[in-house]
Amino acid sequence: MSTQTANAAASKHESMFDAVLARLDVAANLMNLSEDVKTVLKNPIKQVKVSLPVMMDNGKIQVYEGYRVVHSMAIGPSKGGIRYAMDVNQDEVMALAAWMSFKCAVANLPYGGAKGGIKCDPRAMSVGELERLSRAYAKSMKDVFGVNRDIPAPDMGTSGREMAWILDEFNKVTGEDSPGVITGKPIAIGGSLGRDAATGRGVMVNTLAALKKMGLDPKKVSAVVQGFGNVGSHAARLLSEQGIKIVGIGDHTASFYNENGIDIKAALEFAAKNKNTLKGFTGATEIPSNQLLISKCDVLVPAALQNVINVDNASKIQAKLIVEGANGPTMPDADAILNEKKIICVPDILANSGGVTVSYFEWVQNKAGYYWTEDEVNTKHDHKMEIAFESVWNNAERFKTSMRIAAYITALQKIEQAVKLKGAY
Ligand code: GLU
């Protein structure tokens, strides 16, 4: 399903931000969250919308919509990525910003949450156009971003390349060199070793932790990974390195299944030579894209788009365990079906928090001006992830609820303390 179709399906039911609030309400009731704190968290603290005029290669000006929403700064400066996609809108950015607040709290990071985005189709733009757009966005956000204020990072449609342009523009406008104002940077300009693979690594650590609780041997389970971008490709590689048989992969160009297991190294090499896409890969049988999520496997990793698991396909899912690499891949109506089927779902705000965890390490290294080895980064990451998994698992048992609601509870317990300690006017 295309993003547009998925989002149309979502909007039939509710806005994405409403979906966040609905889950917040369930968690808040179970844990007895104070009404005051709930009210605070239902209202993002800052919403910025800008118009970005960009000179296109054809000599004409095109104006793009840019957004940044800061949801909470209760625990610390706000943190969250910037996405470039055609369906970016205020409601989506609000939802994603709130998820960042919860994600950072679950992972025990000293951050609040934010998200940004530009409504554009990066695949249809030249490198020069993308650079001018990124610089225009950075300039217009100069009073929003700050190393101790709001720290962006990559998200869908962006990477280290865009982070480098945004950092450079921010530095030029402020006249200071602040590498820590943005994370997910290339290594040569202050990025952290291990950041690129971190979200996929977090997916792997969470998968292993969940399999252990379920009494399953990773060497005897199979997995399907949807998405072969930064998250999905690293997740597939790291899961296969743990002995998990990857039977299905797919991206926006094609999906594949092979019950005997797919050679992920070969798929990575193929994608690297094929504009980072899978169309034409011959190591497995091509299947219709809507079959991938419902094909036979033990572990399903949706690592592409939001709203892909919905009432239409949830009842057909065969996996015992879902580990959400993407943000918001499961719609609220589908949650109930998965729970009924006793499928364990490690939710996005836990499962994909490896990325922001290593973003935090990057920020710490930038502040200290002292850089760690990849092993140090990975060891610290795995340790933090295991602690986060354990606290969510324990809350699921204590409150007799799903991992998703337990993750919200885990986050809300920490944010509630911070909001109460800091107080209001
Ligand atoms: N965009 C990523 C996320 O959704 C990373 C955010 C960050 O590193 O700040 O978690």
Side-chain angles (χ1 to χ4, degrees), residues 79-82 100 103 115 151-156 183-184 195 199 327 352-353 355-357 359-360:
K79 187 87 192 78
I82 302 167
M100 284 310 302
K103 193 185 296 188
K115 199 77 162 203
I151 308 133
D155 198 83
M156 251 167 61
T183 61
R195 174 63 184 86
T199 313
N327 288 312
N352 71 34
S353 64
V356 70
T357 296
S359 271
Y360 163 58

Short mmCIF file of all heavy atoms in Angstrom, two decimals, residues 79-82 100 103 115 151-156 183-184 195 199 327 352-353 355-357 359-360, ligand 1:
data_model
loop_
_atom_site.label_atom_id
_atom_site.label_comp_id
_atom_site.label_asym_id
_atom_site.label_seq_id
_atom_site.Cartn_x
_atom_site.Cartn_y
_atom_site.Cartn_z
N LYS A 79 13.97 16.37 21.15
CA LYS A 79 14.77 15.57 20.20
C LYS A 79 13.86 14.89 19.21
O LYS A 79 12.79 14.39 19.60
CB LYS A 79 15.53 14.50 21.02
CG LYS A 79 16.52 13.71 20.21
CD LYS A 79 17.87 14.38 20.14
CE LYS A 79 18.79 13.76 19.11
NZ LYS A 79 18.45 14.16 17.71
N GLY A 80 14.26 14.85 17.96
CA GLY A 80 13.46 14.12 16.98
C GLY A 80 13.85 14.48 15.56
O GLY A 80 14.40 15.55 15.29
N GLY A 81 13.54 13.57 14.66
CA GLY A 81 14.01 13.69 13.28
C GLY A 81 13.26 14.70 12.42
O GLY A 81 12.31 15.35 12.85
N ILE A 82 13.74 14.81 11.18
CA ILE A 82 13.10 15.65 10.15
C ILE A 82 12.82 14.73 8.98
O ILE A 82 13.75 14.08 8.46
CB ILE A 82 14.06 16.76 9.68
CG1 ILE A 82 14.50 17.65 10.84
CG2 ILE A 82 13.40 17.59 8.58
CD1 ILE A 82 15.67 18.56 10.48
N MET A 100 8.07 10.88 20.01
CA MET A 100 9.48 11.10 20.40
C MET A 100 9.59 11.36 21.90
O MET A 100 10.53 10.89 22.54
CB MET A 100 10.10 12.26 19.61
CG MET A 100 10.47 11.96 18.17
SD MET A 100 11.44 10.45 17.86
CE MET A 100 12.90 10.72 18.85
N LYS A 103 9.22 7.99 23.39
CA LYS A 103 10.36 7.13 23.03
C LYS A 103 11.59 7.48 23.86
O LYS A 103 12.26 6.60 24.41
CB LYS A 103 10.66 7.34 21.54
CG LYS A 103 11.59 6.32 20.93
CD LYS A 103 11.94 6.67 19.49
CE LYS A 103 10.73 6.67 18.57
NZ LYS A 103 11.14 6.82 17.14
N LYS A 115 9.47 16.78 16.36
CA LYS A 115 9.59 16.21 15.01
C LYS A 115 9.45 17.33 14.01
O LYS A 115 8.76 18.32 14.26
CB LYS A 115 8.49 15.18 14.77
CG LYS A 115 8.78 14.23 13.64
CD LYS A 115 9.79 13.20 14.11
CE LYS A 115 9.87 11.98 13.27
NZ LYS A 115 10.41 10.86 14.04
N ILE A 151 16.96 19.41 19.13
CA ILE A 151 18.06 18.76 18.39
C ILE A 151 17.49 17.80 17.34
O ILE A 151 17.03 16.70 17.67
CB ILE A 151 18.97 17.97 19.38
CG1 ILE A 151 19.41 18.88 20.53
CG2 ILE A 151 20.16 17.36 18.67
CD1 ILE A 151 19.26 18.27 21.90
N PRO A 152 17.50 18.21 16.07
CA PRO A 152 16.96 17.32 15.02
C PRO A 152 17.91 16.19 14.63
O PRO A 152 19.05 16.10 15.10
CB PRO A 152 16.70 18.27 13.85
CG PRO A 152 17.46 19.51 14.12
CD PRO A 152 17.87 19.53 15.56
N ALA A 153 17.42 15.34 13.74
CA ALA A 153 18.16 14.15 13.29
C ALA A 153 17.48 13.66 12.00
O ALA A 153 16.45 14.19 11.61
CB ALA A 153 18.08 13.06 14.36
N PRO A 154 18.03 12.63 11.35
CA PRO A 154 17.36 12.12 10.14
C PRO A 154 16.07 11.36 10.47
O PRO A 154 15.87 10.90 11.59
CB PRO A 154 18.38 11.15 9.55
CG PRO A 154 19.66 11.37 10.27
CD PRO A 154 19.30 11.94 11.60
N ASP A 155 15.22 11.26 9.48
CA ASP A 155 14.01 10.44 9.56
C ASP A 155 13.72 9.99 8.12
O ASP A 155 14.62 10.03 7.27
CB ASP A 155 12.86 11.26 10.16
CG ASP A 155 11.72 10.40 10.68
OD1 ASP A 155 11.80 9.90 11.81
OD2 ASP A 155 10.72 10.20 9.94
N MET A 156 12.47 9.63 7.82
CA MET A 156 12.14 9.17 6.47
C MET A 156 12.56 10.21 5.42
O MET A 156 12.23 11.39 5.56
CB MET A 156 10.64 8.97 6.37
CG MET A 156 10.20 7.55 6.28
SD MET A 156 8.44 7.43 6.53
CE MET A 156 7.81 8.39 5.19
N THR A 183 21.96 15.56 15.13
CA THR A 183 22.63 14.25 15.19
C THR A 183 22.33 13.45 13.92
O THR A 183 21.54 13.87 13.09
CB THR A 183 22.19 13.46 16.44
OG1 THR A 183 20.78 13.25 16.36
CG2 THR A 183 22.56 14.17 17.73
N GLY A 184 23.02 12.31 13.81
CA GLY A 184 22.90 11.53 12.57
C GLY A 184 23.77 12.14 11.49
O GLY A 184 23.51 11.97 10.29
N ARG A 195 25.92 5.04 14.54
CA ARG A 195 24.62 5.72 14.46
C ARG A 195 23.80 5.22 13.26
O ARG A 195 22.58 5.04 13.39
CB ARG A 195 24.81 7.26 14.36
CG ARG A 195 23.51 8.05 14.13
CD ARG A 195 22.53 7.90 15.28
NE ARG A 195 21.24 8.55 15.07
CZ ARG A 195 20.20 8.01 14.43
NH1 ARG A 195 20.30 6.79 13.90
NH2 ARG A 195 19.07 8.66 14.32
N THR A 199 19.25 2.12 14.62
CA THR A 199 17.82 1.79 14.73
C THR A 199 17.62 0.30 14.44
O THR A 199 16.89 -0.40 15.15
CB THR A 199 16.97 2.68 13.79
OG1 THR A 199 17.40 4.03 13.95
CG2 THR A 199 15.50 2.60 14.14
N ASN A 327 7.82 4.09 12.64
CA ASN A 327 6.99 4.81 13.60
C ASN A 327 5.53 4.64 13.19
O ASN A 327 5.17 4.94 12.05
CB ASN A 327 7.34 6.30 13.61
CG ASN A 327 8.69 6.56 14.26
OD1 ASN A 327 8.97 6.05 15.35
ND2 ASN A 327 9.54 7.34 13.60
N ASN A 352 12.11 0.94 18.07
CA ASN A 352 13.00 1.70 17.18
C ASN A 352 13.75 2.81 17.92
O ASN A 352 14.28 3.72 17.29
CB ASN A 352 12.26 2.20 15.92
CG ASN A 352 11.26 3.30 16.21
OD1 ASN A 352 11.47 4.14 17.09
ND2 ASN A 352 10.18 3.35 15.46
N SER A 353 13.83 2.67 19.25
CA SER A 353 14.50 3.73 20.02
C SER A 353 16.02 3.62 19.98
O SER A 353 16.72 4.45 20.56
CB SER A 353 14.00 3.73 21.47
OG SER A 353 14.35 2.52 22.11
N GLY A 355 17.86 4.22 17.46
CA GLY A 355 18.37 5.36 16.68
C GLY A 355 18.57 6.58 17.54
O GLY A 355 19.66 7.18 17.58
N VAL A 356 17.54 6.94 18.28
CA VAL A 356 17.67 8.15 19.10
C VAL A 356 18.63 7.91 20.29
O VAL A 356 19.28 8.84 20.76
CB VAL A 356 16.28 8.69 19.54
CG1 VAL A 356 15.60 7.80 20.54
CG2 VAL A 356 16.41 10.11 20.10
N THR A 357 18.77 6.65 20.68
CA THR A 357 19.72 6.34 21.77
C THR A 357 21.15 6.66 21.32
O THR A 357 21.92 7.30 22.04
CB THR A 357 19.58 4.86 22.21
OG1 THR A 357 18.28 4.69 22.76
CG2 THR A 357 20.62 4.47 23.23
N SER A 359 21.81 8.66 18.83
CA SER A 359 21.81 10.11 18.64
C SER A 359 22.23 10.79 19.95
O SER A 359 23.00 11.76 19.96
CB SER A 359 20.42 10.62 18.27
OG SER A 359 20.23 10.59 16.88
N TYR A 360 21.70 10.29 21.04
CA TYR A 360 22.06 10.84 22.36
C TYR A 360 23.57 10.67 22.61
O TYR A 360 24.26 11.60 23.03
CB TYR A 360 21.22 10.14 23.45
CG TYR A 360 21.74 10.29 24.86
CD1 TYR A 360 21.92 11.56 25.44
CD2 TYR A 360 22.05 9.16 25.62
CE1 TYR A 360 22.40 11.69 26.73
CE2 TYR A 360 22.52 9.30 26.92
CZ TYR A 360 22.70 10.55 27.46
OH TYR A 360 23.18 10.68 28.74
N1 GLU B 1 13.99 9.84 13.41
C1 GLU B 1 14.42 8.87 14.37
C2 GLU B 1 13.25 8.44 15.23
O1 GLU B 1 12.12 8.55 14.85
C3 GLU B 1 15.63 9.33 15.16
C4 GLU B 1 15.41 10.55 15.99
C5 GLU B 1 16.69 11.11 16.61
O2 GLU B 1 17.71 10.45 16.52
O3 GLU B 1 16.59 12.18 17.19
O4 GLU B 1 13.43 7.90 16.29
#
